[in-house]
Amino acid sequence: MAEDSPFTVDADWLQDRLGQPGLTIIDASWYLPAQNRDARAEYEAAHIPGARFLDQDAISDPNSPLPHTLPTAQHFAQYVGAMGISADDTIVVYDGPGFFSAPRAWWMFRVMGVFQTYILEGGLDGWKAAGRTVTAEPTKIAPNVFHADFDAVRVASLADMRRIVETGESQIADARGPGRFTGAEPEPRAGIRSGHMPGAHNVPYSTLSENGVLKSKDSLRKAIEEAGIDLSKPVITSCGSGVTAAVITLALETLGHSDNRLYDGSWAEWGSLPDTPVVTGKE
């Protein structure tokens, strides 16, 4: 159990507060095609009472050709305001398994200035397995005005990454699985090369949680340091499309490491370009 993470809450904590004013629960589930799960259909069939559904595809920048690009502050504010969310709310986000897509929503709200944002340990799968109440009842929503306070410093761009790969000024932590990182497995998206950025370290997101619960600080530290990351230095997190990179961001922040940024374009961008350096093999 990650009782020592300041960014997670357990099911008991949430159960005790269901229906309280100022508490907003968000189902931020999103799945890869290979996972064969339909996040919206699952939400409509069963969600935690009062939860709203955040569509990770719809809340991305409509002008970007890349998947899951962080929207402008204005677009984000319009989208979540229409969901009835205020920047003053205490927000609890969850996904199905616990630590897959929920950390991306957690990161987005924090980048937009909402720091009282937490992730539900165990996810909806754990909530249901424990026999807790779910409902198919649509959540009543009154639109709200959301004031975003965007912190651009927390986001790394392609230009930043080109420089970082060249200079080594920041460490790169890649959340994809080892097969995709080394290039042994093909990328799930067409037209994208296999491999990783020169100098990147592989920190598979799945190694940072167990049974839907974030690992202890000691275990997180061990996993990150064994991947070759020095926690006293800056880190850029990356993955396939910017979703699971946020799991590493969550682990870093849990360990008190705040000098980190997320590469929003991630491998969907880097691996699709003809002139970006790509290496294969372990490192």
Side-chain angles (χ1 to χ4, degrees), residues 67 78 172 184:
Q78 284 173 342
I172 302 166

Side-chain angles (χ1 to χ4, degrees), residues 243-258:
V243 174
T244 58
V247 182
I248 306 180
T249 305
L250 172 68
L252 292 170
E253 293 283 343
T254 293
L255 293 171
H257 183 289
S258 57

Side-chain angles (χ1 to χ4, degrees), residues 161 165 171-187 192-203 227 236 238-240 263 266-273 275-283:
M161 297 313 296
V165 164
Q171 302 165 100
I172 302 166
D174 189 325
R176 293 174 302 153
R180 290 173 65 189
F181 181 82
T182 61
E185 292 174 13
E187 282 297 302
I192 296 181
R193 294 174 290 163
S194 297
H196 58 267
M197 288 174 262
H201 302 269
N202 193 201
V203 186
I236 305 289
S238 180
C239 60
Y263 172 30
S266 281
W267 198 253
E269 180 172 55
W270 190 272
S272 68
L273 297 170
D275 65 336
T276 46
V278 170
V279 293
T280 54
K282 291 204 169 167
E283 275 180 42

Side-chain angles (χ1 to χ4, degrees), residues 24 52 80-86 89 139-146:
T24 293
R52 300 121 202 265
V80 300
M83 289 173 65
I85 299 171
S86 159
D89 291 347
T139 299
K140 291 185 175 65
I141 290 170
N144 217 321
V145 176
F146 183 94

Side-chain angles (χ1 to χ4, degrees), residues 48-240:
I48 295 174
R52 300 121 202 265
F53 183 72
L54 184 146
D55 187 328
Q56 298 262 16
D57 292 318
I59 201 169
S60 64
D61 181 353
N63 299 315
S64 172
L66 300 168
H68 312 123
T69 306
L70 189 70
T72 63
Q74 182 184 11
H75 180 83
F76 185 89
Q78 284 173 342
Y79 184 95
V80 300
M83 289 173 65
I85 299 171
S86 159
D88 298 324
D89 291 347
T90 295
I91 295 171
V92 176
V93 295
Y94 70 83
D95 59 28
F99 290 92
F100 180 63
S101 59
R104 169 71 184 193
W106 167 85
W107 176 78
M108 284 197 291
F109 275 102
R110 287 174 59 82
V111 164
M112 295 296 176
V114 184
F115 294 101
Q116 62 280 11
T117 305
Y118 307 92
I119 299 169
L120 175 65
E121 292 179 345
L124 184 64
D125 295 350
W127 182 273
K128 290 198 289 192
R132 295 178 188 270
T133 304
V134 293
T135 182
E137 193 72 30
T139 299
K140 291 185 175 65
I141 290 170
N144 217 321
V145 176
F146 183 94
H147 296 284
D149 184 13
F150 177 51
D151 183 2
V153 172
R154 305 314 297 250
V155 187
S157 67
L158 174 63
D160 292 332
M161 297 313 296
R162 287 186 187 277
R163 188 185 68 250
I164 286 162
V165 164
E166 200 169 299
T167 65
E169 66 194 63
S170 280
Q171 302 165 100
I172 302 166
D174 189 325
R176 293 174 302 153
R180 290 173 65 189
F181 181 82
T182 61
E185 292 174 13
E187 282 297 302
R189 293 179 178 86
I192 296 181
R193 294 174 290 163
S194 297
H196 58 267
M197 288 174 262
H201 302 269
N202 193 201
V203 186
Y205 79 90
S206 59
T207 63
L208 303 175
S209 66
E210 194 168 10
N211 299 321
V213 178
L214 194 66
K215 288 184 176 178
S216 68
K217 283 186 179 179
D218 286 345
S219 298
L220 293 176
R221 186 175 288 106
K222 186 167 183 275
I224 291 168
E225 289 179 343
E226 283 183 352
I229 298 288
D230 183 341
L231 286 163
S232 69
K233 296 177 179 172
V235 178
I236 305 289
T237 64
S238 180
C239 60

